[in-house]
Every structure is written in structure tokens, then in C-alpha cells.
Amino acid sequence: MRIVLLGAPGSGKGTQAANLVEKYGITHLSTGDMLRAEVSAGTELGVEAKKIMDAGQLVSDDIVLGMIKNNIESIDGGFLLDGFPRNLNQAEALDSLLSGIDQPIDKVIFFDVPFEIIKERLLSRGRSDDNEETIEKRRKVYESETAPLINYYTKQGKLVTVEGVGDVTEISQRIFKALS
Ligand code: B4P
């Protein structure tokens, strides 16, 4: 199974990814986690990425696409993409990469969560990119860059919308049902 989790930052993609990879035995690829690993390791890329992430902006497509390409080609079996693609350019690059290896995306799960709930969640999480100003910036970037992917994947007949409000286990059950 090859799936994409699509939703605003803080909509619960990372949280649900953990349950999905366990249930389906697929590989989890999170561009946010990959970038945070670079930040923790203090690499040159991490130092640059931290400034961009703390400002609520998107890291450059070249960097993110390079990270995905390096990982995806070595996966034997299914995978779950969490936080990627995040704009049309990344989505088109992904489609072209996957059609080259004959491994198209099966389904895209869209997490529908009102912004006020997202804001409450992120303010209580308290990561360095979880302050009011950055949350608002990320919302704007999401609306202009990422939300158009809802239409992109609807046109491909792959989008499934899941209500992302409620208990974590309840939301997992909704996703399992959507994928069955
Ligand atoms: P991400 O790492 O993707 O964002 P996130 O805030 O972790 O969102 P996620 O939806 O995974 O939320 P989570 O489960 O943690 O991105 C961070 C930054 O990295 C971006 O701003 C960008 O700069 C950069 N980046 C990443 N990918 C990129 C790309 N492809 N291109 C360019 N730049 C990129 O949930 C949030 C909180 O809610 C948690 O505290 C969780 O415990 C809580 N929660 C989850 N589900 C809940 C529920 N049902 N009820 C109550 N609380 C819940």
C-alpha cells in the first residue's frame, strides 16, 4: 500500500502515521521528521532548515525532493508519505518519480480539522515552531501552497477525506475504514 497523508500542519498526520505504519507494516517517510533530524544533528542543512521552519515557511523543493528520492528508491514494499508533497511542484515531481518505478500512489488521506482546534493543539505542544505568529504563517502557507493538492488528488480519484477531530484511536478507525 502506498499512501499520502495530506492536511494542515498540526492536523495530526504524524500522530496517525504511527498507527498506520504499525497496522499495515509499511515504511513511514516524514519530511518534517527528516528535517528535524538534520536540525538535531546540527548539519549545515539543519541550520538552514531550522530558520525556515521556525519562520513557518516551506523548505526548498530541491532539498525536500532530494531527501524523498534518496529514501523512496530503496523501499521494498509499501510506504506512507507524511507532510509530503506540500505544493504542486512536489506533487508533480512525486508522480513522475513514482511512475518511473511503476509504484503509483493508491490513496491520499486528507485530514479535515478546523484551524481553531489546530491552534489549540500546537500551542499546547510547544515545539520551537509552535508559537502564535508561526502557526498563523504556516496556516497561510498551507492555504496557498498545500490546499490546492486537495483538488489535484480529487481529480486523480485518489482523495479520501477523514474528519480529524476526536480521539486519536477513533480517527485511526476512520482511516482504516477509508482504506479498506
Ligand atoms: P510537519 O512536521 O509536517 O508538521 P507538524 O506540525 O508536525 O504536523 P502534523 O500534522 O504531523 O501534526 P502532529 O501529528 O504532530 O512540518 C513542520 C515544518 O517542516 C513545516 O512548517 C516546513 O517548514 C517543514 N517541511 C516539512 N515537510 C516539508 C515539505 N514537504 N516541503 C517543505 N517544507 C517542509 O499533531 C500536532 C499536535 O496535535 C501534537 O501535539 C499531537 O499530539 C496533537 N494531536 C494529534 N492528533 C490529535 C487529536 N486527535 N486530538 C488532540 N490532539 C491531537
Side-chain angles (χ1 to χ4, degrees), residues 50-101:
K50 182 165 179 12
K51 287 185 216 153
I52 298 167
M53 292 162 85
D54 284 351
Q57 304 281 3
L58 295 184
V59 174
S60 87
D61 289 350
D62 286 351
I63 290 175
V64 177
L65 285 166
M67 292 191 313
I68 286 289
K69 197 164 186 290
N70 283 343
N71 281 279
I72 234 166
E73 284 173 344
S74 60
I75 292 175
D76 190 15
F79 55 79
L80 178 153
L81 294 170
D82 159 14
F84 174 91
R86 235 170 170 105
N87 59 29
L88 279 173
N89 184 43
Q90 292 181 11
E92 285 165 1
L94 175 68
D95 276 348
S96 127
L97 173 68
L98 295 180
S99 75
I101 53 173

Side-chain angles (χ1 to χ4, degrees), residues 5 7 25 31-32 88-89 97 146 150:
L5 302 188
T31 42
L88 279 173
N89 184 43
L97 173 68
T146 312
I150 297 170

Side-chain angles (χ1 to χ4, degrees), residues 6 10 17 24 39 41 49 52 54 60 65 73-74 76 85 98 109 132-134 139 150 173-174:
L6 178 65
Y24 296 108
V39 173
I52 298 167
D54 284 351
S60 87
L65 285 166
E73 284 173 344
S74 60
D76 190 15
L98 295 180
I109 308 288
E132 292 233 18
E133 193 187 335
T134 302
R139 181 176 73 86
I150 297 170
Q173 292 304 326
R174 288 180 203 148

